[in-house]
Amino acid sequence: MLAVAQAFEDAGAEVVLAGGGPGSRFIEHNGYEVFRAAPVDYIGDYQQGSLYRVLTRSLPYSAKRVVDLVRWLRREDPAALVTDDMFGAMAASLTGTPLYVVTHNAASFYDAAVEQVFTWLLNRYQLRTAESFLYPAVWPPDEGDPPGVTHVPPIALDPEGCPPPENDIEVLVVPSVYSTNFDVLAETLRTEGHDVTLVGDDRWEAVPALLPWIRAADVVVCSGYSTVMEAAVGGTSCVVYPFTDEQHGVTRVLERRGVRGFQVEHSVAHVARAVRHPPENPGHENGVERIADHVLADLT
């Protein structure tokens, strides 16, 4: 979403940002102020906790997040809200703010009935309340996509003046919030003779954007869809090692559609084997300008 915000700025629009949670530090590292609404973590509370934890933590914090975002929208009075946040969508409805949803989430990604039903209802709500539901995908239109979405190319943060790494990178390993064993994976790859850069380890220094590092790598290993999109835009072959239900759902689409540039593996040993023989490079345009142009055309 920071990439989308910068695309609006490049088109001459003024933006203000809201969020909360781990991503806020990254946004501030890029020089922006961000309004921090109450954080909510359904994925962590359900997949790494229990339904009881969802009821006692996620639900109460959900109400607080909506209230926080309603107050923020009333204070800022923007021409539109562009968001991947379901609570932001609810706040936009309550304040009458024109809404544009940007997310790849779909009910078809999930196996658990409760997640399927919740995401199906969420997608229907987003489609009903938004001016447009923009769907950034590295795959062509698919039967599992929510009906009625507008496909756009994958999106990636590519700010001007962000220096690339000083040296080429052989293997870039990018864990997500919920991935595990990536330190073991990195050491396994090193014992096989690979030069490995592990994002977030003690030797890693924070950077404004990861895309220059992905472009400099021979192959990237990741779990999350944001990095999948960055690899697609950066033209770097990618081995996807999923952990969450959503990540497994994404990889099923990648495999079913045979998306060039991506290979899915489910163990450290299989990831190591794939790194030895990575897939061919992908090639996608960056969809951020497409999103900014779509919204601004609607508002003028």
Side-chain angles (χ1 to χ4, degrees):
M1 296 305 298
L2 182 56
V4 174
Q6 292 190 351
F8 279 114
E9 288 185 325
D10 290 344
E14 181 181 351
V15 300
V16 290
L17 287 84
S24 296
R25 289 181 298 173
F26 178 72
I27 293 172
E28 291 165 349
H29 184 74
N30 275 272
Y32 292 86
E33 292 184 3
V34 56
F35 172 73
R36 293 176 180 248
V40 181
D41 187 7
Y42 275 96
I43 296 175
D45 286 344
Y46 178 71
Q47 294 184 192
Q48 298 181 351
S50 65
L51 187 57
Y52 174 79
R53 188 167 174 172
V54 170
L55 295 174
T56 58
R57 287 174 54 91
S58 295
L59 284 178
Y61 276 92
S62 296
K64 178 66 167 61
R65 185 172 180 85
V66 173
V67 169
D68 287 348
L69 291 171
V70 164
R71 290 172 177 168
W72 175 73
L73 286 171
R74 285 176 176 162
R75 183 172 68 249
E76 298 291 346
D77 190 26
L81 175 66
V82 183
T83 186
D84 61 356
D85 186 290
M86 64 180 177
F87 307 106
M90 296 173 190
S93 297
L94 292 170
T95 58
T97 305
L99 170 67
Y100 294 84
V101 171
V102 181
T103 182
H104 71 288
N105 201 20
S108 61
F109 292 163
Y110 302 97
D111 293 324
V114 64
E115 291 178 299
Q116 283 185 348
V117 172
F118 177 82
T119 308
W120 185 88
L121 291 171
L122 174 61
N123 288 160
R124 295 305 178 276
Y125 175 80
Q126 292 167 323
L127 284 162
R128 186 176 72 251
T129 58
E131 305 294 325
S132 298
F133 187 140
L134 303 168
Y135 195 77
V138 301
W139 52 82
D142 183 73
E143 61 187 7
D145 299 340
V149 299
T150 299
H151 264 254
V152 294
I155 56 180
L157 178 62
D158 193 11
E160 293 184 6
C162 181
E166 294 180 358
N167 302 309
D168 291 339
I169 299 171
E170 183 185 356
V171 183
L172 183 69
V173 178
V174 187
S176 70
V177 174
Y178 304 103
S179 55
T180 59
N181 295 330
F182 266 54
D183 53 344
V184 175
L185 170 61
E187 287 305 313
T188 300
L189 293 172
R190 289 183 180 121
T191 60
E192 294 195 358
H194 297 289
D195 182 13
V196 177
T197 300
L198 174 60
V199 174
D201 71 1
D202 294 338
R203 289 168 287 185
W204 177 259
E205 295 184 6
V207 295
L210 197 59
L211 189 59
W213 293 74
I214 289 175
R215 285 195 178 114
D218 294 334
V219 59
V220 60
V221 180
C222 69
S223 296
Y225 187 63
S226 292
T227 311
V228 166
M229 290 195 291
E230 289 175 317
V233 173
T236 302
S237 62
C238 181
V239 180
V240 189
Y241 184 19
F243 284 84
T244 69
D245 292 352
E246 175 266 335
Q247 291 167 358
H248 282 285
V250 165
T251 58
R252 285 196 295 270
V253 183
L254 293 175
E255 291 184 311
R256 181 172 69 245
R257 300 309 302 265
V259 181
R260 191 186 79 187
F262 299 92
Q263 185 168 332
V264 179
E265 300 295 349
H266 299 281
S267 71
V268 169
H270 287 151
V271 170
R273 182 182 64 187
V275 167
R276 291 195 298 269
H277 305 285
E280 60 181 317
N281 292 336
H284 295 258
E285 68 171 298
N286 196 338
V288 290
E289 290 186 7
R290 186 93 58 96
I291 292 172
D293 290 347
H294 178 98
V295 175
L296 293 174
D298 265 11
L299 297 177
T300 57

